[in-house]
Amino acid sequence: MTTLIAIPARYASTRYPGKPLVSLKGPDGEKTLIRRSWEAAMAVKGVDRVVVATDDDRIRTHAEAFGAEVVMTSSDAQNGTERCAEVAAKLPGYDVVVNLQGDAPLTPAWFVEDLVRGLLADPGADIATPVLRCDGRALNGFLADRRAGRVGGTTAVFGAGMRGLYFSKEVIPFTAKTYADEAETPVFHHVGVYAYRPAALAAYPTWPIGPLETLEGLEQLRFLENGRQVLCVEVQAKGRQFWELNNPSDVPVIEAMMAEMG
């Protein structure tokens, strides 16, 4: 089985323009978000190819300068999944295409490795995505973001066979209980990584954007709205913290986490 990782990177982000080229300070010095995301992808075992997918020459020039392979995609792509579909059409023949979003440099390699194994072991699933059980610290952070009107992490609920039921930028399922920082909670953080079967990925851009995707702004909902099976693969943090860069305020949070990791 062959696996391709595509890293969608868009300069013209609505919430954070120029985000892929934002510099992040870590124990290894200053590197851009897109470079750190590429390095995270390169650390994944069992992957045959890693490419940066962008429509912006500034990102292409920068990525090629640090050694990444770049595939130029259309500026018409509505989201990372559509951009990955373009990559898969240009680079056919892979059994699994992974979308490792360019705003998640703290993604551990084993998240992606577990995800690919999960998809390959479940022939009924069209795509797979990781979920991470929140501890109290993470859940309280999500709730604080929502109270402050910030876009925080996405949460997921799933049913039998770990089939995804819904994904939301709200914190679901609701719980009235208060949790200590180290306590397990019933809330699962959706980690923004996807592994697609090529046929499902090719079909995705042909479907209209549905009302749920429009309301939530979550690309994976298009699969659910079109009756496709989304497999949620539970992954383990193993002491690592995970955070996506959605807002400028996330930069110091991610830098602090990198400092803790050493």
Side-chain angles (χ1 to χ4, degrees):
M1 294 291 184
T2 54
T3 301
L4 166 70
I5 294 181
I7 307 171
R10 186 167 65 98
Y11 190 91
S13 169
T14 302
R15 292 198 304 268
Y16 198 168
K19 183 169 68 171
L21 300 183
V22 167
S23 182
L24 295 171
K25 296 176 184 177
D28 54 353
E30 288 197 21
K31 297 179 183 178
T32 58
L33 175 63
I34 188 60
R35 180 169 185 171
R36 291 192 181 280
S37 298
W38 176 78
E39 289 178 351
M42 294 295 289
V44 179
K45 296 177 182 177
V47 172
D48 299 279
R49 194 171 186 177
V50 175
V51 301
V52 172
T54 187
D55 61 350
D56 190 274
D57 287 333
R58 289 163 290 190
I59 295 173
R60 179 189 64 184
T61 299
H62 174 68
E64 290 179 341
F66 62 70
E69 179 182 359
V70 177
V71 174
M72 296 302 291
T73 55
S74 168
S75 59
D76 295 332
Q78 298 293 311
N79 54 44
T81 298
E82 290 193 6
R83 207 171 295 283
C84 287
E86 288 190 43
V87 171
K90 291 184 176 185
L91 304 176
Y94 292 92
D95 299 298
V96 176
V97 178
V98 174
N99 173 352
L100 179 60
Q101 300 190 81
D103 58 6
L106 298 181
T107 306
W110 65 85
F111 280 20
V112 184
E113 293 159 6
D114 290 350
L115 182 65
V116 172
R117 279 195 294 269
L119 181 64
L120 292 176
D122 189 338
D126 296 294
I127 75 164
T129 193
V131 292
L132 178 66
R133 185 184 290 275
C134 290
D135 60 14
R137 179 182 180 184
L139 175 56
N140 293 331
F142 290 168
L143 293 171
D145 278 340
R146 297 308 299 133
R147 285 193 295 268
R150 294 188 297 265
V151 176
T154 297
T155 56
V157 291
F158 45 85
M162 297 294 289
R163 289 297 193 263
L165 298 175
Y166 197 62
F167 300 86
S168 182
K169 289 177 180 174
E170 292 292 346
V171 180
I172 55 173
F174 169 76
T175 172
K177 185 177 176 180
T178 300
Y179 296 88
D181 281 355
E182 304 304 321
E184 281 194 351
T185 79
V187 176
F188 282 82
H189 180 193
H190 170 244
V191 181
V193 185
Y194 305 94
Y196 315 98
R197 296 193 189 279
L201 182 58
Y204 182 90
T206 70
W207 301 326
I209 298 175
L212 298 178
E213 181 184 355
T214 300
L215 288 167
E216 295 271 8
L218 295 175
E219 61 200 274
Q220 67 271 31
L221 291 175
R222 199 181 309 181
F223 287 100
L224 292 181
E225 289 187 272
N226 285 275
R228 296 302 180 107
Q229 297 292 313
V230 178
L231 174 68
C232 292
V233 177
E234 184 174 358
V235 293
Q236 303 299 319
K238 300 181 183 180
R240 283 276 294 274
Q241 297 183 63
F242 177 84
W243 203 268
E244 297 172 2
L245 203 160
N246 293 305
N247 309 283
S249 60
D250 293 323
V251 171
V253 175
I254 290 177
E255 288 179 337
M257 289 179 176
M258 288 192 295
E260 286 183 20
M261 289 161 49

